[in-house]
Structure formats: C-alpha cells, structure tokens
Amino acid sequence: MDEPAIDLRILGAVRLTVNGTEIRLEPRQATVLAIIAVAGGEVASEELADRFGVSPPTLRTYRARLRDSAGFELVERNERAMQQLLVAPDAVDLWQFQTRIARCAGLPPHRRLPLLREAVGYWQGPPLAGLDSRWVYDEVAELQSKGRSAYLELIGLSSEHEGPEPAVVHAERAAGLFPDDDEIRAMLWRAWARCGRASAIADDLHRRGKLPLDLGSPSLMVLRGEAETLIAEARRISEAVPARVPNLLPPVRSTVYGRDAELAFLNSLTDKGSGVRVVTVRGLGGLGKTELVVDWAHQVAALFPDGVLFVDLGGFSSSGTVRPEVVLTAFARQLGIPAGEDVLSAYRTAVNTRAILVILDNARDHQHTVELLAAGKQSRTVITTRAAASAPAVAGGRVLALSPISPEASMEVLREAIGAARSEEVPFAAARLMEACGGIPLAVRLVAAQAHLNPGTGLERLLVRLGSASALLAAKPEGETALRDSLALSYAPLSPDAARVLQVIALHPGPEIALEVLLFLSGLPASSAQDAVDELLRGSLLDPLPGDRFRLHDLVRAFARERAAEELSPEEVSAVRGRLLGWLLAAARLCDRALRSGRELPDDLVVADGAPLPDPATEDDGRQWFEAEHDTLLAVLDSPDFLPYDTYRWRLPLALCCYHTRNGPWPTAERLLASAAEITKAELGEPERTRYQAVCHRVLGNIQRKLLKFGAAERSLATSITLAEGIDDPLETANGHQQMCVLQENLTNWEAARRHATVAGRLYEALADERGVAATLPTEIHCHLELGEPERALEREPFAVDLMSRASTPYNRGALHRVLMDCHLRLERFEDAVAHGEAARECYLESGAPTNEVRVLAGLAGAYRAAGRVEDELQALRDFVSCYGRLRQREAEDRRLHTIVRSRLAADSS
C-alpha cells in the first residue's frame, strides 16, 4: 500500500491534510501535533501530560482520536516513553523552514538569498494560529523569534544585493506577520524611502499613532524621529526621478548558446505584423527557460518604454506557488497604481494602454497566469513553465517547446566556463561529458562548476566521476544536488499512478516505448495508466514520438530509477522486468516465424495476460516489429539488471538471429550469440538442452562466417555438429552440415563444401525436409561450377528452381538465383544470367536483406554489361550506391565493390 501524502502546517493556522484532503482536528489534537512538531518530532510523555494536566491514559485517547481522524497512526509512544510524530521530514512546514535556514550557514549572500526566500515562503500567518495560548505560549514565542530572524536577514540581504524593490516585498510581508516589531518596521520604512515612497511611510506612521496603547509600539517616539528623516530622503529620491519606469529583470547569469531559433521565435513578440502577444516557453526543468527569456528580455527592454515586470511564480518550488493576487499588488505598486483602487481593473487598464513587457516565470500552468497577462496593443507577456501547454494562453499566443541544446552548443557553454584551452585539452573527454549532459544546460554548468572547484582535475578524471546520468544527478559542486533537486520539483506533484508509470518506463531500458507496452507493464487499469501518461506529458517529463511511442531523457530516466529503487519493492521491480521479458520473447518468436526462419524455441515460458502481441501477416510485418524494438532488445540483453534472467538471455538472441542475419549488425549478433552459447540452459531437460546448445553454436558459426572469422566459424560449426550427433538428432546434424558447406564454399574448399552439402542433403531427404534440401542446392550447384562441372550444375537448375519456389524462403531463393547468375555468366549465357540476377534482387528485396541486395546488384551490373545493356548497367550501379548508403554495416567486400562501382560511374560521366 502506498504511503499517505501528509502535509502538516503550523506556520499559520494549524492544518493537516492527507492525500490532498484536509483533516478536521479537535483543538487538543491540533495542539498535540503542534507541540511535538515544534519540539522536533518527539516530546516526553510526562511533559505532555503535565502540559495539559491530564493522565497518560488520556494521552492514549488523544492518539487514538488522531488515528481515527487521519486514518492511520500519526503519533506513537516509543520505547523511551516519548510521544513521537510519525511523519517524513518533508511533511511539516516548520521542518522544511528549519532545513533551509540550516543550509544557509556559511554560504555567500547570492546562495543564501534563494534559500531564505524559500524558507519564509512557508510562513502563511502567525504561527500556531487558532490554538489556546495557554498551552503553546512558549512554542509561539520560539517560532516568532525564528521567523523574525529569518525575515530580518532576508530583508537586509535583499536590500543590499537585489535593491529596494524586492526588499520592500519581503519587508511588507514581514510587517504583516510581526506588526509590533520595531526593527522590521524600521527596515520597511528604509526600503520605502529608497524607493521614494514618502507617503507610504507617513501613512503607516499615522495609522500606528491611532492604535490603542496595547497594540501600538512602545517606542513610537523613537520611530517617529527616524520616520521624519526617511520621509525627507524619500521625497528627495522621488523628486530626482521624474518618472519611475520599473525594470524588474534579474541579471543575465550566463550566456545563452544554441538558442538562435528560439530567440527568433521570441522576437515575433516585437514584430508588429506577427500578431503574437503572448509566448509560453515550456520544457523540462534545467533546460534554461528562465535564462533564455531573461537574456532575450534584456535585449528588447528598450522597446517597452513603460517598463518590464518580472516575477517568479514558484509554480514548481518547494516553498509553494505565489498567489496571483500577491503578484497583482506588487505589479500595481510598480506601475504607480494608487492603493485602494480595484487592483485587477487598474492593472488591466495599465497593460492595455501602455507598452509593458511582463515575464511570468515558473508558472504552474496557464491558469496560474490568467489575471497577470499583458496582451494589449503594445504590451507583451512571456510565460515559462514546466507544464506542457495544450494550447496558447490567449488568442494571439504561441507555445515554444524547448528541447535540449546541441552537443556543439554544450561545448560552447563548457568552453566559456572553463576556458578554451582546458576544454580542448582532451577533446574526447569533453565530448563524452557533454554527451552525458544530454543537452541540459543545468547539467553542463554543473560539470563546469565541478571543474572550477578543482582546477587541477583533468577532464579525464572528471569524466570518470561525472560521465553518467546517475553521477550527474548526485553532483553537488556548490553543496547541493541541483540537478536532482530540479527534477524532484517536477516529480513531487505527480499522482501515485503517474509516479509509478514514470518508474516503470525507467525500468524499461530501451530508448523508447510504445504506449500499448507501457500500459501493459504498468499493471494499472488501462484508463488509469493512460491518465498517468497524460499527466507525465503535461509535466514535460515524457517526450511524445510518432506512432504513439514515448521517450525519457536520460537524466529523467536516471532520476526515475532512483525513485523506483526507493519506492518499489524488489518484487515489484522483478515483476515489471518479468512482464517485459515475457512480452519481448513472445513477440520476437511470432515475428521470427513471420520471417520464416524455421527455428522454434521452447514454449515453456508463458507471457502474462494482456500482453500486446503483434500479429505479423507478412515478412515485412515481422521485420518492422524488429526494427521498432531492436534497440530495446539490445538494451535488455546488455543491461546488468537482466543478468539473472538466463532463460531469456539465450532465447532472445536466437529469436533475433534471422533478423540479424539478413539485416545486421553482425558484430552485435556474434556477441549476443556467443553469450547465449555459454548459458547452460539448466531449465531444460535432455536432449533439449544439448539440442539448443547445438543450435546456438550453429547460428553463431554462421554469423562468424559472415564476419569472415572463418577459423572461429569452423570451430563453432564443428561443435554444433558434434553436439547434435551426440544426441542422435538428424535434423540439427543436417543443419550443422548445411552451414559448414556454406563456410567451406566461402573458403573455396570445394570438395569439402560438396561433402558437407551431400551429407546435409541426404539427411534432409531422409527426413522428407524439402526446405532443408533446397538450402543445400545453391552450394551444390556452385561446387559443380567451380570443380569444372558446369553441365551438372545446369542439370540441377530446373529441380532447384522448382523446389525453391515450393519449399523455401525468398532469402534462400535469392541465394540460388545469385549462384545461377554466376553460373550462366561463366557459360556466357548473359540473358539467362540477367534473368537470375534480377530474380535474386527481387528475392532479397522481399526478404529485407540489403547487404545481399548490394552484392547481387554488383553482379547484375556485370551481367547487364556483358549482355550489352549499358543503360541497365548504369541504373544497377546507381541502385547499388543508393542501397549501399542504407547499409547498417559495411564489410570489406562491400567497400571494395563500392570503390569499383564509383569508379565505373565516374568513368561514364566523364
């Protein structure tokens, strides 16, 4: 069962919410929770009983009522007779506040400021509001002291490092929380003075003078003396600045690289003919949305003579969102709107009649920004958000979806940060580091910050330390895991279903996943899983691809895997991987049959119900499934997470083998099959175990033959034949000899090739296996040809062609026609050679074997030339070049033929 999401707030009215629902608390229940929370999570039972003047059994009653209200145990008495609060460290606003204050220790001002802003953001009113002061007097005093100290530090630092306007915002909020604090009042007046707001100081002084003695300040006369000085200073400032034009843009923190297209997109806001008035910049956290928009806004600020407004709405922030009405009040003050007016109406009038640029940073979604939009004739708005916008914010709006920057732009960021000499000292290490960053500017800057931290560290050592997504998540060159923390802000709002789906996608090791597979692996009802996918898309945590497929950024994947390790049990993780393996094997077997490999695998493994299995009706259908899922199959077989699943790790390479044989990549196929041959297959009994060992060695030998590793191929095939003979399996013995005859054919050992072909053919005939007999015929005919028996070769042609058309695959028919083309060329029967060459090409096209098609095209061009068909020859050569460009891998023979073909085409063009 999932842990409940608990939120206990005591910095204001005491409130408890569980899974988003507020729990109604009796006064003493709320007081018990508040006292324990202020004490750090536990209080001595005796102390708590004395506080309320009750007996220990009564405390048990309090705990029971809390349990009944919340639905689970909130407080327990531990073995040390302490009343303990059973919630996570991030469940209590006070603890979050204290954590951020503690993290400020020893940090420079520019790093303390954001932490202090987050910390005070947890204060929603007077602490422990609504509780009986008799029971919590000391706690209230303690909390007020902590809050007061935090605000005093924040106001001072903000005034010094950000300017008076931001300081005013903090001071006004502090004055509302601590109305009788003279020091906070004085700081507010000083900030107002620096903004030229003499009337604000005078009005506040007047209001305080009218307060009853028990509410007014005991040192009003002292403040009055300072107020007169500050009012005079404010008047001087206001008179020196005839027209106050706000510009709240923060400074540009770093140069923006690789965003020329995005900057041009934003420039449509300043193009009067474009009609664009609002742009929403959305994307994953860390992509540099704020940096991009701030950089652009500084460039165009002069085009908005009535001011530039900027606010961080905190939509994805640990301290919570900023309410639109708070922003409206601040914006109205910046625009000179008098206090007491209808703020929303006055603001709309201002942005509809003036030339103002409004930057609404870090919005939760479009709804969060509705009241703040500036979209008048001369005003423009830019919104940044992590939420995927389904439509523009307003008519005349556009959405700019931010993608990762290019590797070249990432290198530019690194080069600027650490210098060209250092970044280019070891180009390979720099490139690999940038590859690990995945085009996320925040990740690149973390690498740069780590390099700055220790200038003596070379990029090779940095690559060892930070060369993976998981390592980057843990990087904290400035004391914080900035990348992990940034992704956590997008993860925190997710529903339990969305969190689970994200974790499941991360456990799927392939680079992309189909929707139907995702729904199957999640184990959730289809409608719930679909809703979870939509939620991830809205949060920019999942990238949509054509064909209802999806992709995770590597850094998001690494983060989600961390969460899965924390939040899923080992049994749940194993279940997801088991479902994935079962689906892959069942689907691969179906598609391998569609390719007509003739290879069957044991059927003892059953896929889970509901698996989205393909239904390939043709070879092309089967090939398309392998194309779509090939990278996932390789990722599974290469992942250490799947090492314990031996039963799948030898079957999947066999199911892939036919596809790999025809399409490559052969080195990958060799590696996978070599691993499959080493697995003992202990789940099978004899003779099945030995038979599949023989199969593994045989198909491995065939791939090694294609890679021209003839010695290794001969050993593998000999092992296969020995194993098959040892269990008296005539079919597998014949298969081994058939592959060995092809190998000897490649080695031009014609007698040995014919001998193995004869053995295989006899065994196939005894088994009435026409397909097997057909497979031996191309080698048999080729041997007759090479041993000076062309007539015998041609005698077998009608039988071979007929048998192949009835009992074989297009791939094997192509091999026969290719041999017959060579045979007719040697006998100077050029038109017959052309006919067989064209037939061979058609067969290889049908079976999707581009390497074989390339090689037969070279021979077909020669047949056309010999037949005097020059135009057909040139077209075949051009087709060769086109097909060669699509090859996944190019062997030495392919490259040799390519050189010859290009020379022939060049000679013809000259």
Side-chain angles (χ1 to χ4, degrees), residues 387-400:
S390 57
V394 294
R398 295 177 69 184
V399 177
L400 171 59

Side-chain angles (χ1 to χ4, degrees), residues 618-694:
T618 64
E619 288 192 28
D620 194 51
D621 291 340
R623 187 166 55 252
Q624 286 181 15
W625 183 88
F626 278 118
E627 290 282 352
E629 301 299 338
H630 185 256
D631 288 344
T632 294
L633 286 158
L634 296 191
V636 164
L637 291 167
D638 287 336
S639 169
D641 294 329
F642 291 86
L643 283 177
Y645 300 88
D646 277 355
T647 52
Y648 293 93
R649 288 180 52 249
W650 69 265
R651 301 179 197 217
L652 284 172
L654 286 184
L656 265 167
C657 185
C658 182
Y659 171 78
H660 274 162
T661 300
R662 300 179 188 179
N663 299 274
W666 294 337
T668 299
E670 180 192 26
R671 175 171 55 79
L672 298 179
L673 289 167
S675 176
E678 292 174 357
I679 295 173
T680 61
K681 305 164 184 64
E683 75 276 11
L684 300 179
E686 291 293 0
E688 286 295 284
R689 182 186 307 169
T690 300
R691 183 165 79 85
Y692 280 106
Q693 284 291 63

Side-chain angles (χ1 to χ4, degrees), residues 610-780:
L613 296 176
D615 184 21
T618 64
E619 288 192 28
D620 194 51
D621 291 340
R623 187 166 55 252
Q624 286 181 15
W625 183 88
F626 278 118
E627 290 282 352
E629 301 299 338
H630 185 256
D631 288 344
T632 294
L633 286 158
L634 296 191
V636 164
L637 291 167
D638 287 336
S639 169
D641 294 329
F642 291 86
L643 283 177
Y645 300 88
D646 277 355
T647 52
Y648 293 93
R649 288 180 52 249
W650 69 265
R651 301 179 197 217
L652 284 172
L654 286 184
L656 265 167
C657 185
C658 182
Y659 171 78
H660 274 162
T661 300
R662 300 179 188 179
N663 299 274
W666 294 337
T668 299
E670 180 192 26
R671 175 171 55 79
L672 298 179
L673 289 167
S675 176
E678 292 174 357
I679 295 173
T680 61
K681 305 164 184 64
E683 75 276 11
L684 300 179
E686 291 293 0
E688 286 295 284
R689 182 186 307 169
T690 300
R691 183 165 79 85
Y692 280 106
Q693 284 291 63
V695 172
C696 286
H697 283 284
R698 173 170 57 82
V699 294
L700 171 61
N702 185 43
I703 291 294
Q704 290 169 330
R705 174 186 67 81
K706 287 180 172 291
L707 289 169
L708 308 183
K709 296 181 177 181
F710 296 131
E714 193 161 18
R715 289 190 295 274
S716 296
L717 293 173
T719 299
S720 176
I721 292 170
T722 300
L723 289 170
E725 290 175 342
I727 58 171
D728 195 23
D729 185 329
L731 177 59
E732 191 52 40
T733 301
N735 291 340
H737 281 289
Q738 190 272 324
Q739 293 291 341
M740 185 68 89
C741 79
V742 177
L743 170 64
Q744 298 302 326
E745 180 183 9
N746 289 162
L747 292 169
T748 67
N749 295 333
W750 305 111
E751 289 292 355
R754 180 155 63 180
R755 182 171 66 253
H756 284 289
T758 301
V759 172
R762 288 173 180 169
L763 287 169
Y764 285 135
E765 286 176 0
L767 294 166
D769 185 343
E770 287 192 328
R771 176 172 174 166
V773 172
T776 66
L777 288 173
T779 300
E780 180 188 335

Side-chain angles (χ1 to χ4, degrees), residues 493-505 515 518-519 522-542 550 552:
L494 294 181
S495 67
D497 283 352
R500 176 178 175 81
V501 167
L502 183 66
Q503 293 163 11
V504 166
I505 300 172
L515 175 62
L518 190 162
L519 301 182
S522 74
L524 297 170
S527 59
S528 300
Q530 182 68 72
D531 289 343
V533 169
D534 292 344
E535 188 176 342
L536 295 175
L537 291 170
R538 286 195 298 271
S540 297
L541 288 168
L542 191 61
F550 303 96
L552 283 182

Side-chain angles (χ1 to χ4, degrees), residues 198-230:
S199 60
I201 303 172
D203 290 346
D204 191 54
L205 180 63
H206 180 68
R207 282 194 299 271
R208 292 184 64 76
K210 288 185 174 183
L211 289 175
L213 290 177
D214 59 338
L215 294 179
S217 168
S219 54
L220 183 60
M221 294 306 296
V222 175
L223 278 176
R224 184 183 297 278
E226 183 173 3
E228 292 173 355
T229 303
L230 292 173

